[in-house]
Structure formats: C-alpha cells, structure tokens
Amino acid sequence: MKRITLKTGLLFAMLVAFVTVAVNAQSRGERKEPPTYAKLLEEMDADEDGQLSEEEVKGPLKDNFSEIDSNEDGFISEEEFDEAPKPKGRPRN
C-alpha cells in the first residue's frame, strides 16, 4: 500500500510542477517595448557620430533601410525612425 501511495504522491508532484511551469511560461509572454532611437544609437552607432548609417544598423532597419531613409541622405534620423513602418509581430497561435 505504501508503494501505491508513494507513486501517487510522485505523480501528483510531477503534475503540480508541470502546471506551474506552464502557467509561468504563459505569464512571461509579456510584450517587450520596441527600442527607442536613443537606445539604437547607443547600441549601433559604431563611429559615435550621432547618426545611423546603413553599415551600422542590422536586422529590420538594415533590411528596410532604403524605405526608412526617406530623404535618401544615407542615414536614419530620429524623425525617419519614428515614421518608419513598424515590424509586425509573430502571429498568435
């Protein structure tokens, strides 16, 4: 009888642990705020000239540089960044 109780207890503990992990994973699905222009300058402005050139940027900014650089001066200004189309997030399941 002790053996059945021990197995049942272990099964129950595993079930509780699984549910706890699943709930925590869902609650961590908080949205990250998009980076600000100042933050991008801090992270990507390699030559520290206060501008973002095509050589310095990466990811969606690099992929869409010509569309974002609306005045075609070779740099993304804060105004151009603010007016740029925002990338679409992942589709929800």
Side-chain angles (χ1 to χ4, degrees):
M1 190 68 156
K2 279 186 177 181
R3 188 172 214 152
I4 293 173
T5 304
L6 182 60
K7 284 183 182 179
T8 304
L10 286 174
L11 183 61
F12 179 75
M14 288 173 47
L15 180 62
V16 168
F18 175 79
V19 170
T20 302
V21 168
V23 168
N24 285 338
Q26 282 184 340
S27 67
R28 282 191 306 248
E30 300 166 2
R31 291 180 175 236
K32 287 174 60 176
E33 290 295 318
T36 63
Y37 186 76
K39 185 69 173 169
L40 290 176
L41 276 177
E42 183 181 307
E43 293 176 3
M44 295 185 194
D45 186 18
D47 60 9
E48 298 180 355
D49 65 351
Q51 299 177 323
L52 294 173
S53 67
E54 188 169 9
E55 292 78 30
E56 294 173 316
V57 297
K58 53 189 169 192
L61 288 178
K62 187 166 195 76
D63 297 340
N64 301 303
F65 191 88
S66 60
E67 291 104 42
I68 298 169
D69 180 23
S70 59
N71 66 1
E72 299 177 354
D73 68 350
F75 299 98
I76 296 176
S77 68
E78 186 169 5
E79 293 79 26
E80 289 170 325
F81 175 75
D82 290 339
E83 295 298 318
K86 305 302 179 228
K88 293 180 174 43
R90 294 180 295 169
R92 292 186 174 208
N93 296 344

